[in-house]
């Protein structure tokens, strides 16, 4: 009789195989739980984000209207800012239109699992666009503050000149620098 070949695995090998299978199963279950928890809260996350987008867009629209009401050509303080303002408004409109299109497509889907899965798929891109929208709002706010700062400085200078003229002092063009 021939000696029987070693047909079985060692106990360590069997334990390692079982541990590997359990780790794989755990990873799949954890991924499913994460996915399900993400799509479970998708509706509230979407509503919260839509509200933030509306607020940010309203704020930017207010700034846009303010800049459009100004006479960009005649205002000496605003003339050098005309280009950056137009670029910032153009960027905002482009970002806002992209976000509105995505949100429109999500809203067309109606409530349900499909909408939640699409939200899960698009979430990072939408959040990145929202961050860009906030950045553009900050850019417009900075431009407005720069304009107001220049305007205040110019108005202070005009007031200083008027005070000097009212007291009868001679004011030369280069004074008060």
């Amino acid at each position: 009789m021939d000696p029987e070949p070693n047909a079985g695995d060692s106990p360590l090998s069997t334990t390692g195989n079982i541990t590997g299978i359990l780790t794989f199963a755990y990873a799949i279950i954890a991924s499913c739980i994460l996915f399900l928890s993400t799509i479970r809260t998708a509706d509230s996350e979407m509503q919260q984000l839509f509200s933030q987008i509306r607020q940010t867009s309203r704020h930017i629209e207010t700034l846009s209207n303010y800049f459009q009401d100004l006479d960009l050509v005649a205002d000496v303080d605003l003339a050098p800012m005309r280009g950056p303002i137009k670029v910032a408004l153009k960027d905002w409109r482009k970002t806002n239109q992209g976000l509105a299109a995505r949100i429109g497509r999500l809203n067309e889907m109606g409530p349900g699992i499909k909408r939640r899965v699409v939200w899960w798929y698009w979430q990072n891109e939408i959040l990145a666009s929202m961050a860009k929208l906030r950045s553009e709002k900050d850019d417009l706010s900075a431009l407005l503050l720069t304009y107001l700062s220049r305007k205040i400085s110019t108005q202070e200078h005009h007031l200083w000149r008027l005070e000097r003229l009212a007291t009868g002092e001679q004011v030369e063009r280069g004074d008060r620098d």
Side-chain angles (χ1 to χ4, degrees):
M1 289 196 105
D2 287 335
E4 198 170 299
N6 189 2
D9 289 338
S10 70
L12 184 60
S13 175
T14 304
T15 304
N17 289 338
I18 291 172
T19 304
I21 291 169
L22 290 176
T23 303
F24 180 71
Y26 173 76
I28 289 176
I29 291 170
S31 297
C32 289
I33 289 171
L34 179 64
F35 175 74
L36 291 174
S37 70
T38 299
I39 65 170
R40 184 179 60 84
T41 60
D43 289 329
S44 63
E45 288 177 11
M46 282 186 276
Q47 292 308 317
Q48 194 175 40
L49 184 69
F50 297 166
S51 175
Q52 290 175 0
I53 291 169
R54 280 191 298 274
Q55 289 174 345
T56 303
S57 292
R58 257 188 255 123
H59 183 83
I60 293 174
E61 192 66 43
T62 301
L63 290 174
S64 172
N65 291 338
Y66 179 77
F67 281 124
Q68 288 174 356
D69 289 343
L70 297 173
D71 188 0
L72 295 175
V73 177
D75 194 335
V76 175
D77 297 315
L78 195 57
M81 299 174 63
R82 185 176 31 224
I85 290 170
K86 286 184 179 184
V87 168
L89 289 173
K90 179 182 167 191
D91 290 345
W92 164 70
R93 284 188 185 93
K94 181 180 176 185
T95 303
N96 199 37
Q97 287 171 352
L99 270 171
R102 287 258 170 137
I103 290 168
R105 283 184 267 168
L106 279 172
N107 286 334
E108 288 171 2
M109 292 178 193
I113 192 75
K114 180 179 179 186
R115 179 181 185 202
R116 292 175 178 182
V117 170
V118 170
W119 163 254
W120 172 76
Y121 186 72
W122 286 351
Q123 184 179 17
N124 287 338
E125 293 173 24
I126 291 174
L127 292 175
S129 294
M130 183 61 196
K132 186 176 178 190
L133 192 68
R134 285 186 185 127
S135 173
E136 290 163 353
K137 179 187 90 167
D138 293 343
D139 289 348
L140 280 170
S141 295
L143 287 169
L144 179 61
L145 290 173
T146 302
Y147 167 72
L148 291 174
S149 174
R150 287 182 179 195
K151 198 59 155 172
I152 288 170
S153 177
T154 302
Q155 295 300 322
E156 283 178 342
H157 181 69
H158 291 315
L159 182 61
W160 178 84
R161 290 185 60 159
L162 285 172
E163 287 173 348
R164 295 302 166 267
L165 290 172
T167 60
E169 293 179 36
Q170 288 292 328
V171 180
E172 298 297 322
R173 215 171 220 296
D175 284 353
R176 196 178 180 236
D177 287 336

